[in-house]
Every structure is written in structure tokens, then in C-alpha cells.
Amino acid sequence: MSLEMLQFSPSMVAAASVYLARRMIGTYPKQWNSNLRHYTELSEENVLPCAVVLNNVLIKDQSSQKRCPFSRKYASSRLFAVAKIKAVPL
């Protein structure tokens, strides 16, 4: 993970990861619904700044010639090639 992410709590990074994953697979317009709001106790407005930083980290990694080991691992079809899903503009 990038040093930029250290400003956020682990629970915030987890929530932003869920938000970003839902955005990447196209659950628009409800990336953040009442269930997520209830269980995380966070609003979409609270999660969005962390999701933007996380998305920028993903964009940097996807454009890099030397990808991180996790990206290489999760690019395999055995793990459903989730690392190949393109980052989305936020």
C-alpha cells in the first residue's frame, strides 16, 4: 500500500475499498446504500476522500511498468483477474 493511505484509519480504508469496488463493477448509482451506511457508521461523503486517494494509488499502479506483487498475483484467471479491472474516475 502507498504511504498516502496512512492518513486514513484501517476501517476507513476498508470502507473506501468497498465503495471503490462497487463503483468499479458498476453498481451505480448506489455505491453506498443504507446497509453500508448502517454497518460502517460512515456516509458516502466521509468515505469519498479516502476512495479518491485509493483510486489514485490504483491508477498509478495500473500505469506502472513494474506492478506491485499483489497486482501480479490477482491478475491471474485463477483469482478471477480482479487486478485487471480498470480504475474509474471519481
Side-chain angles (χ1 to χ4, degrees), residues 69-85:
F70 296 114
S71 294
R72 289 192 302 271
K73 176 181 177 180
Y74 287 97
S76 75
S77 60
R78 181 176 61 90
L79 296 171
F80 304 105
V82 294
K84 292 182 179 179
I85 299 173

Side-chain angles (χ1 to χ4, degrees), residues 42-81:
L42 296 168
S43 68
E44 184 174 2
E45 292 79 28
N46 297 128
V47 172
L48 197 55
C50 183
V52 168
V53 173
L54 182 59
N55 195 47
N56 290 337
V57 170
L58 288 172
I59 290 169
K60 275 191 239 174
D61 183 61
Q62 288 178 345
S63 64
S64 173
Q65 294 292 344
K66 185 179 178 186
R67 299 184 77 181
C68 79
F70 296 114
S71 294
R72 289 192 302 271
K73 176 181 177 180
Y74 287 97
S76 75
S77 60
R78 181 176 61 90
L79 296 171
F80 304 105

